[in-house]
Amino acid sequence: MRKVYLDNAATTPLLSEVREAMMPYLGDIFGNPSSLHDWGDGAREAMDRARTQVAQLISADPDEIIFTGSGTESNNFAVKGLALAQQAKGKHVVVSAIEHFSVLHSARTLEKLGFEVSEVPVDKHGVVDPDNVLRQIRKDTILVSIMHANGEVGTIEPIPEIARITRERKIPFHTDAVATAGITPVNVAELGVDALSLAGNQFYGPKGVGALWIRKGVRIMPLLDGGIQEEGRRAGTENVPAIVGLGKAAELAKTHMTDRIKQLTPLRDHLLKELPGRIEHVVVTGHPQHRLPGHASFCVEFIEGESILMLLNSKGIAVSSGSACTSRALKASHVLIAMGLSHEIAQGSILFTLGIDNTNEDIDYVLETMPPIVDRLRQMSPLYAKFSKTVKGGK
Amino acid sequence: MPVYSEKVMDHFMNPRNVGEIENPDGVGEVGNPVCGDMMTFYVKVKDNRLEDVKFRTFGCGAAIAVSSMVSEMAKGKTLEKAMKITPRSVADKLEGLPKQKFHCSNLGAQALNKAIKDYLSKKKGGGKK
């Protein structure tokens, strides 16, 4: 059976060049980067190299990179760490309604610590209007955190416009760039932000490693106390092989970014255009143009996402869904609900995230496999039966 | 998909008794799209037995497998026996359900019960049967 992996937002595969770069650090070069002897030197040099590679990916200074254990850790660190460090100035934080849970739940923790949090709404395409950010800002606002792009609907947010507002008011601005860093151009100066999160497994690096970039001079309170690793901002012996892998993946992403975007965009556009053409009552979620290059997301009406996912899996196609049934909390996606979709439609969420291994044939296979699956589930659906009776006048 | 048992996968991939009964003796509808699952059961009764059971389900793999299993368990049973089918006995027959799915997706027995009660109340009310 044909195997088609279209769940690159969950994780990308590891590039063989990245694995090769990591191997020595799972072998002979095992030293602790904090050690002063030769063994430590080898590991430290590798970390310095990785720091430069990651910094170059986002056009930043290597000294401003802090390695973390994941995108989630970077977001927790940024939201909690920046807010706690600025709390003498105020206790108000602004986030968007469609942030990743690692930002939203961090904000909730801040509320328990006495902070106030305001959520900025989004429009039907999932776009944050900078004017709405401005409306939420108060005298005591000490942090704004808005994602660069949403991993579920692919929409890219107007970060430079929002940064103009925060910079005028000298409010630290963090962006979760986990969905964009290594995928689309990310330049911290052009974005105008003060802190930025990224993760290795989004651009063909290893899992369990991420980074937080934080502009020089911006204060942050560590989440992990201990030794003086990462200039005392993130204690704990570093995951050297993963960090080396992150660095190598960053270097390759920078080199091949233009080619990768050129490869993915037409595949994405083909899927976005063709799927709603072949299946009735399918809506594209997210922005039609301002979206991630490999990202095609839909809601299929009258049926539920997990059952679509399972039947696609039985045909060798890997996707994900934001339906309630696929979430541990059994709640519909907060992103789709914030965009104004009904629970009923949000249940049919299905998400294709393409990667550099995908071909035209893969997309054609999806386009040919999906309609009978949808049809089969609709024949089972009481919602579709009702729809057929009322709208089509019986079928 | 190892989160589901083989039995669940079998009933999900090859659901039994999908569809609608024309002029059913009873109909039972439970759930709503907010929680993610909706099921409608249709029953045909003859001599106090479920001569036919059919269903339509909107929901996840577990919801579809549960509906299919309930229909299979109920078909041919007396009304009294069919009403004794519980979420627990359905889950057991399916060789278990993931913990978070047990309450949300396991509505089949409830829908069947509702369909039988619908039949009984129609009968009591002096309907066509």
Side-chain angles (χ1 to χ4, degrees):
Chain A
M1 185 171 53
R2 199 185 176 95
K3 287 274 185 188
V4 181
Y5 185 76
L6 294 168
D7 198 11
N8 286 277
T11 187
T12 50
L14 190 73
L15 281 175
S16 57
E17 294 101 307
V18 174
R19 186 172 58 239
E20 289 312 310
M22 292 168 70
M23 287 312 277
Y25 302 91
L26 293 159
D28 292 343
I29 314 178
F30 63 86
N32 185 325
S34 297
S35 300
L36 298 177
H37 42 62
D38 288 357
W39 284 260
D41 286 347
R44 194 163 51 248
E45 281 159 19
M47 287 212 18
D48 289 345
R49 200 159 48 241
R51 205 181 299 280
T52 303
Q53 288 163 324
V54 172
Q56 283 172 348
L57 176 67
I58 57 172
S59 306
D61 189 315
D63 292 345
E64 300 170 319
I65 301 288
I66 306 171
F67 290 119
T68 66
S70 59
T72 287
E73 185 191 326
S74 299
N75 283 339
N76 269 263
F77 189 12
V79 174
K80 295 176 195 167
L82 289 170
L84 290 170
Q86 327 292 325
Q87 60 181 322
K89 294 181 198 153
K91 285 193 154 194
H92 180 242
V93 174
V94 175
V95 297
S96 89
I98 60 164
E99 294 301 307
H100 187 261
F101 282 144
S102 53
V103 167
L104 285 181
H105 292 178
S106 291
R108 210 169 288 167
T109 298
L110 287 174
E111 280 181 325
K112 287 182 195 146
L113 295 172
F115 285 79
E116 269 183 85
V117 177
S118 300
E119 274 187 20
V120 185
V122 294
D123 70 9
K124 63 175 180 172
H125 293 312
V127 180
V128 174
D129 181 345
D131 286 342
N132 283 335
V133 178
L134 181 58
R135 252 172 234 133
Q136 298 296 341
I137 286 176
R138 315 191 311 212
K139 267 196 191 129
D140 60 342
T141 304
I142 43 96
L143 174 65
V144 174
S145 180
I146 313 273
M147 67 203 328
H148 191 197
N150 183 282
E152 200 177 319
V153 295
T155 303
I156 297 173
E157 303 297 345
I159 299 301
E161 287 75 15
I162 300 168
R164 240 167 266 145
I165 295 166
T166 57
R167 223 183 306 169
E168 251 172 45
R169 289 159 185 81
K170 296 197 171 62
I171 301 166
F173 179 18
H174 163 254
T175 192
D176 167 6
V178 167
T180 52
I183 303 287
T184 60
V186 170
N187 177 319
V188 291
E190 283 172 16
L191 289 176
V193 293
D194 301 293
L196 179 145
S197 303
L198 60 87
N201 70 329
Q202 298 293 304
F203 52 95
Y204 312 98
K207 295 160 196 65
V209 66
L212 179 68
W213 168 80
I214 175 160
R215 184 186 297 284
K216 224 166 265 169
V218 175
R219 290 179 55 224
I220 190 160
M221 187 179 271
L223 292 183
L224 299 181
D225 295 311
I228 51 138
Q229 292 90 352
E230 303 299 285
E231 307 287 333
R233 292 177 295 186
R234 204 265 190 184
T237 303
E238 302 87 339
N239 186 353
V240 179
I243 288 168
V244 168
L246 175 69
K248 186 68 189 175
E251 183 198 299
L252 292 167
K254 194 173 169 69
T255 310
H256 300 296
M257 189 170 290
T258 313
D259 292 337
R260 289 178 183 175
I261 294 173
K262 271 190 198 149
Q263 179 200 346
L264 292 179
T265 309
L267 296 179
R268 172 200 75 186
D269 288 344
H270 186 50
L271 190 53
L272 284 175
K273 186 170 164 277
E274 284 296 317
L275 201 72
R278 297 201 189 193
I279 305 170
E280 282 189 332
H281 305 290
V282 167
V283 289
V284 173
T285 57
H287 199 281
Q289 285 91 38
H290 300 301
R291 62 187 303 139
L292 293 167
H295 196 292
S297 53
F298 306 90
C299 282
V300 185
E301 289 186 57
F302 314 116
I303 55 178
E304 189 277 326
E306 190 205 84
S307 50
I308 308 173
L309 181 159
M310 284 171 66
L311 288 176
L312 284 172
N313 183 59
S314 76
K315 299 285 180 192
I317 301 171
V319 300
S320 56
S321 166
S323 83
C325 304
T326 50
S327 77
R328 285 244 145 193
L330 298 173
K331 275 189 189 155
S333 149
H334 67 288
V335 177
L336 299 176
I337 299 300
M339 285 161 56
L341 289 169
S342 71
H343 281 264
E344 211 171 295
I345 291 182
Q347 288 295 10
S349 146
I350 200 88
L351 164 55
F352 302 88
T353 44
L354 286 56
I356 54 175
D357 292 332
N358 292 127
T359 61
N360 262 317
E361 288 71 35
D362 289 343
I363 304 305
D364 287 338
Y365 181 59
V366 170
L367 290 171
E368 139 202 339
T369 310
M370 183 106 166
I373 286 176
V374 169
D375 196 45
R376 177 173 164 179
L377 290 168
R378 281 185 176 162
Q379 291 313 317
M380 244 185 267
S381 162
L383 293 174
Y384 190 67
K386 267 178 206 162
F387 167 79
S388 300
K389 273 176 198 158
T390 53
V391 179
K392 293 187 174 172
K395 197 183 159 185
Chain B
M1 299 219 88
V3 289
Y4 288 131
S5 71
E6 269 179 44
K7 201 92 192 165
V8 171
M9 284 309 291
D10 174 36
H11 277 264
F12 170 70
M13 294 301 294
N14 312 291
R16 286 67 145 169
N17 307 307
V18 175
E20 226 171 283
I21 295 175
E22 265 188 57
N23 306 314
D25 295 324
V27 180
E29 203 178 304
V30 298
N32 65 69
V34 174
C35 77
D37 295 311
M38 282 174 78
M39 291 172 196
T40 311
F41 266 76
Y42 304 87
V43 295
K44 194 93 190 160
V45 183
K46 197 180 176 188
D47 303 333
N48 200 43
R49 271 179 199 280
L50 290 172
E51 188 187 41
D52 199 8
V53 180
K54 286 207 180 317
F55 73 90
R56 283 196 201 279
T57 291
F58 165 92
C60 64
I64 289 169
V66 160
S67 311
S68 168
M69 179 54 91
V70 168
S71 73
E72 201 175 75
M73 287 165 78
K75 227 170 152 174
K77 276 209 168 79
T78 62
L79 299 186
E80 292 70 31
K81 277 209 165 150
M83 286 180 86
K84 287 203 177 106
I85 297 172
T86 63
R88 171 52 65 195
S89 64
V90 178
D92 287 348
K93 275 264 186 191
L94 284 169
E95 291 163 6
L97 282 172
K99 217 196 283 169
Q100 78 269 26
K101 301 272 184 182
F102 188 87
H103 293 288
C104 173
S105 308
N106 201 351
L107 302 168
Q110 204 186 323
L112 175 74
N113 243 283
K114 242 178 144 176
I116 295 173
K117 280 187 184 142
D118 179 47
Y119 160 73
L120 292 173
S121 73
K122 275 185 197 159
K123 200 173 111 182
K124 219 177 170 183
K128 55 177 182 148
K129 293 261 159 174

